[in-house]
Amino acid sequence: MPQPHRFDDRLIVALDLPTAQEALEMADRLAPAVGFFKVGLQLFLDAGFSVCDALAKRGFKVMLDLKFHDIPQTVAMATRQLAGHDIALTTVHGYPQVVAAAAKTKGATKVLAVTVLTSLGVDELQQTGYAGSLVDLARLRAEASLAAGADGVVCSPLEAGALRRHLGSLPVIATPGIRSLDSAPDDQTRTATPAAAIAAGATHIIVGRPITKAPDPLAAARDILREIG
């Protein structure tokens, strides 16, 4: 059994790369500073659980970010598949029935409910017919998800402060949409700096392209770790 890497688990690096080989090479490159990695839909479709297992065998923690959203029975069967793998965190869309189904079969994995995707802006929200604010929607979904058995939530860093104040100190709050002041926002609409997200109450920041696309990914990761102190 490999010994876990003892690094700052507040930083999760998103391995949003097309193949397992590229992802594992990136993880190994970042290993001097990073011990927690996210496997998303693109990478999972290439390699399945094998890439998660390979990361775990290296002693890394793994977040499997597939955002399960289906009828409760299907979600329950999907999350049951995690039992044979060393997955620290997984994600589901924040609807009570979906969360409750995942919570029943998750085993040792913590379930995080996605509140509002970071690519969604005010204009897109208005198009759905929802009259409240993004913060209101994130709070409502977070409350319902935690009541249904979620261990925490995924939200943009702009909602992290309000959710932390409202939900208290216990739940996990993981925030994608992390960008330094000089980074391009890419397809993220609601972003904040690493330090701002942690100060707002995030327990984990999820960072992909600002690290993996940097000329020196390890240096970029170390810069973020220094920023969050």
Side-chain angles (χ1 to χ4, degrees):
M1 178 70 68
Q3 292 298 310
H5 287 239
R6 301 192 180 280
F7 295 117
D8 191 334
D9 286 345
R10 293 178 297 172
L11 173 61
I12 301 174
V13 173
L15 296 174
D16 294 331
L17 298 163
T19 68
Q21 180 178 344
E22 291 172 88
L24 293 173
E25 287 174 355
M26 179 61 67
D28 289 339
R29 187 173 181 181
L30 295 171
V34 179
F36 209 154
F37 293 96
K38 180 178 82 73
V39 173
L41 186 59
Q42 178 189 27
L43 180 56
F44 193 80
L45 286 175
D46 174 72
F49 280 114
S50 65
V51 69
C52 301
D53 295 340
L55 289 166
K57 286 179 181 178
R58 285 163 161 80
F60 299 128
K61 289 185 177 181
V62 178
M63 175 182 184
L64 182 59
D65 183 29
L66 301 182
K67 299 181 180 69
F68 295 131
H69 185 197
D70 211 308
I71 63 172
Q73 181 64 18
T74 298
V75 171
M77 290 189 294
T79 52
R80 187 176 287 118
Q81 297 297 316
L82 305 182
H85 306 274
D86 192 0
I87 307 294
L89 302 174
T90 196
T91 56
V92 302
H93 272 285
Y95 299 94
Q97 301 92 331
V98 175
V99 174
K104 289 178 182 177
T105 59
K106 67 187 180 67
T109 301
K110 290 185 176 180
V111 169
L112 303 185
V114 178
T115 56
V116 182
L117 294 173
T118 52
S119 59
L120 187 72
V122 174
D123 291 342
E124 290 83 1
L125 183 65
Q126 291 175 344
Q127 290 170 13
T128 69
Y130 180 73
S133 68
L134 285 163
V135 172
D136 291 336
L137 182 57
R139 177 180 56 78
L140 290 170
R141 288 183 173 171
E143 288 177 336
S145 297
L146 293 173
D151 298 289
V153 298
V154 179
C155 67
S156 94
L158 300 188
E159 289 95 58
L163 293 188
R164 179 59 70 203
R165 290 189 296 273
H166 190 77
L167 302 175
S169 61
L170 186 59
V172 174
I173 296 180
T175 58
I178 301 300
R179 295 292 185 270
S180 61
L181 292 175
D182 58 351
S183 294
D186 299 307
D187 55 355
Q188 307 283 7
T189 298
R190 306 188 324 281
T191 66
T193 65
I198 293 296
T203 54
H204 303 283
I205 56 172
I206 302 167
V207 186
R209 286 164 287 189
I211 290 176
T212 60
K213 299 298 184 183
D216 186 339
L218 180 57
R222 284 175 165 157
D223 285 344
I224 288 173
L225 289 167
R226 279 193 292 269
E227 182 178 338
I228 65 177

